[in-house]
Amino acid sequence: MLHTIMRDFRKYGVWEQSHKLVLELYRLTKSFLVDEKFGLVSQIRRAVVSVPTNICEGCGKTSEREFARFLGISFGSCQEVEYLSLLSKDLGFLDIHSYDLVQSEITSIKKQLYHLIKKLNAES
C-alpha cells in the first residue's frame, strides 16, 4: 500500500516568503519598459512564480526524496531570479533599494530551501 504524506504548502514559511516575493516582483516589473513585456518581464515573472509553485507541487508528492527534488527546482529558479534581478538593475529597470530587497529575500529563501532539502535527503 502506498503511504501518502499530506503536506500543506501554506504551513511552510519558505512558501509564504516566496509567494510574497512573487507579488513584489510583479509590482516592480509593472514599471519596466513596455518593450520588455515579452522579454525580461516575462522571464522574471516565470522564474519567480516557479519558486512557490514547485514548493506546492513538491508538497503533493509521496516521498521525501520527491519533495526534495521539487525544492531543488525551486532553488534553481531562485538562482535565475537572482541573476535576472541583477540584470534588471544593471539595465536601469530596478533601483538599488529594490534590487537589495529582492536579493535579500532570494538569499533567505535559498537558505531555507537548502536546509529543508538537506533535512529531507537525510530522512530518505
Side-chain angles (χ1 to χ4, degrees):
M1 182 175 165
L2 182 64
H3 173 68
T4 303
I5 300 168
M6 298 293 294
R7 296 183 192 95
D8 182 356
F9 65 87
R10 293 170 198 87
K11 292 184 178 178
Y12 287 88
V14 68
W15 173 82
E16 185 175 348
Q17 188 174 5
S18 62
H19 175 68
K20 287 179 181 175
L21 183 60
V22 170
L23 298 175
E24 181 63 15
L25 275 168
Y26 263 73
R27 186 187 68 75
L28 289 169
T29 56
K30 279 183 184 177
S31 65
F32 283 29
L33 294 176
V34 174
D35 292 352
E36 288 299 332
K37 182 177 182 186
F38 298 109
L40 192 54
V41 171
S42 175
Q43 187 75 5
I44 290 171
R45 288 179 174 184
R46 185 202 55 75
V48 77
V49 166
S50 176
V51 179
T53 300
N54 277 289
I55 295 169
C56 291
E57 189 169 354
C59 282
K61 298 303 175 182
T62 58
S63 72
E64 270 78 3
R65 181 162 293 199
E66 283 183 291
F67 185 24
R69 188 171 70 80
F70 278 88
L71 295 178
I73 295 167
S74 289
F75 191 95
S77 294
C78 284
Q79 294 287 102
E80 191 175 352
V81 173
E82 189 171 0
Y83 168 68
L84 292 169
S85 60
L86 172 65
L87 178 60
S88 297
K89 177 189 67 76
D90 289 349
L91 290 172
F93 300 145
L94 275 183
D95 61 60
I96 191 70
H97 173 74
S98 298
Y99 170 76
D100 287 344
L101 174 81
V102 169
Q103 292 305 306
S104 175
E105 291 299 307
I106 284 291
T107 298
S108 175
I109 291 166
K110 283 173 34 180
K111 285 179 183 176
Q112 291 174 73
L113 287 170
Y114 172 81
H115 290 295
L116 188 51
I117 291 166
K118 190 174 170 182
K119 178 182 178 218
L120 290 167
N121 284 335
E123 292 173 359
S124 64

